[in-house]
Amino acid sequence: MAEDISYTTEEIAQILKVSKLTVYDLIKKGELPSYRVGKQMRVDSSDLEAYKQQTKKSARTIESSGSYSGTAKTSQPYTISGIRPIVITGQDISLDLLAKHMEKHFPSVRPLRSYVGSLDSLISMYKGESDIVSTHLLDGDTGEYNLPYIRKLLIGSSYKVVNLLKRRAGLYVERGNPHHLSGWEDLGRPGLRLVNREKGSGARVLLDEQLRLHRIQPNQLIGYDLEESNHLGVAGKVAAGEADVGVGIEKAAAIVGSVDFIPLIQEQYDLVFLKKPENKEWITAVMNILRSNAFQNELRSISGYDLALTGQVLYET
C-alpha cells in the first residue's frame, strides 16, 4: 500500500531535485518528519506528500502577497517555502561570514554550510550537490592553486572561479620547536610522528604534493594514517604532545595557542560557482558581497588573511 512506502534521504533528494544536505536541513528543522532504521534515515511517503502540499501552499501565499517582487514567480523544484537553499562547502570562518552576509542582504536564499574538504567539495559540485565550492588545492608540478583540479573535475561545465582570500599554511610543531623543523624536507627525518588530515582536504593534498616533490615516502612518517577532520584537530594533537608535526593554516595555531607555526606557503583560497541561468541572480549578489567594504572589513579583523585579490574573477568558462 502507498502509505507503507518510505524513502531514504538519497531518494528524497532525487524526488525533490535538491541535495542531500537540503534534505537533512529539512529534517533537522522539523519540516520533514523522519525516523531511523539502522543507520538510515527514512521518510514515509505520506509525510513527503504532506510536505509537498504545504510547500505549494506557502509558495502560493508568497506569490499572492507580492512579498517576492523582483524574483521569478514560477515554481522551481529547488525552492523550499519560497526560499532557495545555497550549499556552501568548506571549513574556513570566512565562509560563515559570507553566509551571514548572504542571509542579511539576499533573503530569498538560505545558505547551508557543508564542512567538507576541497576535493570532496568539487566532486559534490560535479554531482549537483553544492552551489558555492571553496577550494585550496596545490598542484606541485606547476605551483598553481585550484585551477588544475577544477579543470579536470568540472569538465563540460560552465563555471566562474573567484578569489576569496590568501592565507599562510605550513607546519604545526611543539612549542619551542624541539625537533628544529624548518621546511618540507625535514619531514623525511626518521622517527618524526605526524598527525594528518583526511583524504581530499587541501592540507592533505599540500602534504602529499610536498612529500612527492621531496621524494619522501608516506610510509616513512609515523602516524601518516592518523587523521583529523580539521586544522584545529591537527594543531591540538601537536600541542598535546601526541604528534611532533602536522600541516595546516596559521589561524588554527593562533586559536590553539600552545603550539608553534612554521609558515611555508601562501595558499590561495578560491570559490567556484556553476554558471547556470537560475544561478545568475544569487551569483551577482555574492560577488557584490565579496567586493563590499563591509564584508572585507570583517575579514580584515581576522589576522592572517591577505585580501589583495578578494572578489576578483580568476578564471571563467
Side-chain angles (χ1 to χ4, degrees):
M1 297 178 64
E3 56 268 26
D4 295 328
I5 298 174
S6 66
Y7 302 103
T8 65
T9 52
E10 289 83 359
E11 290 169 335
I12 294 291
Q14 292 175 358
I15 292 170
L16 296 180
K17 295 182 174 60
V18 298
S19 73
K20 285 193 295 183
L21 288 170
T22 300
V23 177
Y24 291 135
D25 184 61
L26 292 173
I27 291 173
K28 180 180 178 181
K29 287 178 168 58
E31 298 179 34
L32 194 58
S34 67
Y35 56 94
R36 185 177 294 277
V37 179
K39 294 183 178 180
Q40 283 190 335
M41 298 296 295
R42 301 194 70 89
V43 176
D44 286 336
S45 60
S46 57
D47 289 324
L48 174 61
E49 185 59 31
Y51 166 75
K52 290 165 65 176
Q53 293 302 319
Q54 180 60 39
T55 300
K56 290 179 181 178
K57 185 185 299 183
S58 298
R60 284 195 293 270
T61 300
I62 290 171
E63 290 178 10
S64 62
S65 68
S67 62
Y68 236 61
S69 60
T71 62
K73 293 186 179 181
T74 55
S75 177
Q76 298 186 45
Y78 51 70
T79 300
I80 298 175
S81 300
I83 305 295
R84 163 70 153 100
I86 302 292
V87 178
I88 307 172
T89 69
Q91 298 180 353
D92 196 87
I93 190 174
S94 59
L95 301 169
D96 299 319
L97 293 177
L98 176 61
K100 184 191 74 172
H101 280 263
M102 290 173 64
E103 286 183 324
K104 179 180 180 181
H105 299 291
F106 197 41
S108 60
V109 303
R110 178 193 292 168
L112 303 178
R113 294 284 286 108
S114 174
Y115 297 91
V116 297
S118 294
L119 271 178
D120 287 341
S121 293
L122 288 172
I123 292 170
S124 72
M125 175 165 276
Y126 177 78
K127 291 180 177 179
E129 297 174 350
S130 58
D131 301 286
I132 301 176
V133 156
S134 67
T135 178
H136 55 109
L137 296 168
L138 174 68
D139 178 53
D141 293 324
T142 64
E144 188 176 18
Y145 265 94
N146 302 323
L147 286 180
Y149 296 88
I150 295 169
R151 292 189 184 108
K152 291 177 183 177
L153 289 170
L154 297 183
I155 293 175
S157 300
S158 181
Y159 53 84
K160 183 194 298 279
V161 182
V162 180
N163 180 250
L164 177 58
L165 52 88
K166 290 185 177 182
R167 60 188 190 183
R168 296 200 295 181
L171 302 178
Y172 303 127
V173 297
E174 294 178 84
R175 181 60 59 86
N177 193 9
H179 295 280
H180 305 289
L181 304 179
S182 60
W184 302 110
E185 64 279 1
D186 293 333
L187 297 178
R189 292 183 189 175
L192 275 182
R193 298 172 301 154
L194 173 77
V195 57
N196 211 345
R197 283 292 303 279
E198 78 281 8
K199 293 182 178 68
S201 66
R204 177 64 168 265
V205 171
L206 174 59
L207 171 66
D208 287 344
E209 286 291 84
Q210 295 299 337
L211 293 180
R212 179 178 65 84
L213 292 172
H214 290 86
R215 294 180 171 82
I216 302 171
Q217 295 301 314
N219 58 17
Q220 291 180 234
L221 283 81
I222 301 170
Y224 178 83
D225 295 323
L226 174 62
E227 297 179 354
E228 291 290 327
S229 61
N230 54 60
H231 296 291
L232 289 175
V234 174
K237 288 286 186 182
V238 175
E242 297 178 37
D244 301 316
V245 64
V247 175
I249 61 171
E250 184 177 17
K251 185 64 180 175
I255 293 173
V256 171
S258 54
V259 66
D260 286 349
F261 177 74
I262 302 172
L264 295 177
I265 194 169
Q266 184 89 331
E267 68 175 14
Q268 190 168 299
Y269 201 67
D270 296 331
L271 301 178
V272 186
F273 312 102
L274 286 185
K275 292 169 57 179
K276 296 180 178 180
E278 63 267 28
N279 295 348
K280 184 176 180 180
E281 183 181 11
W282 67 256
I283 288 177
T284 299
V286 171
M287 292 296 296
N288 289 337
I289 291 171
L290 293 175
R291 294 166 176 171
S292 69
N293 289 331
F295 178 69
Q296 292 193 18
N297 286 339
E298 281 201 63
L299 289 184
R300 286 190 184 93
S301 69
I302 303 171
S303 63
Y305 289 158
D306 179 347
L307 307 183
L309 298 178
T310 299
Q312 288 194 27
V313 178
L314 305 177
Y315 188 78
E316 192 168 3
T317 61

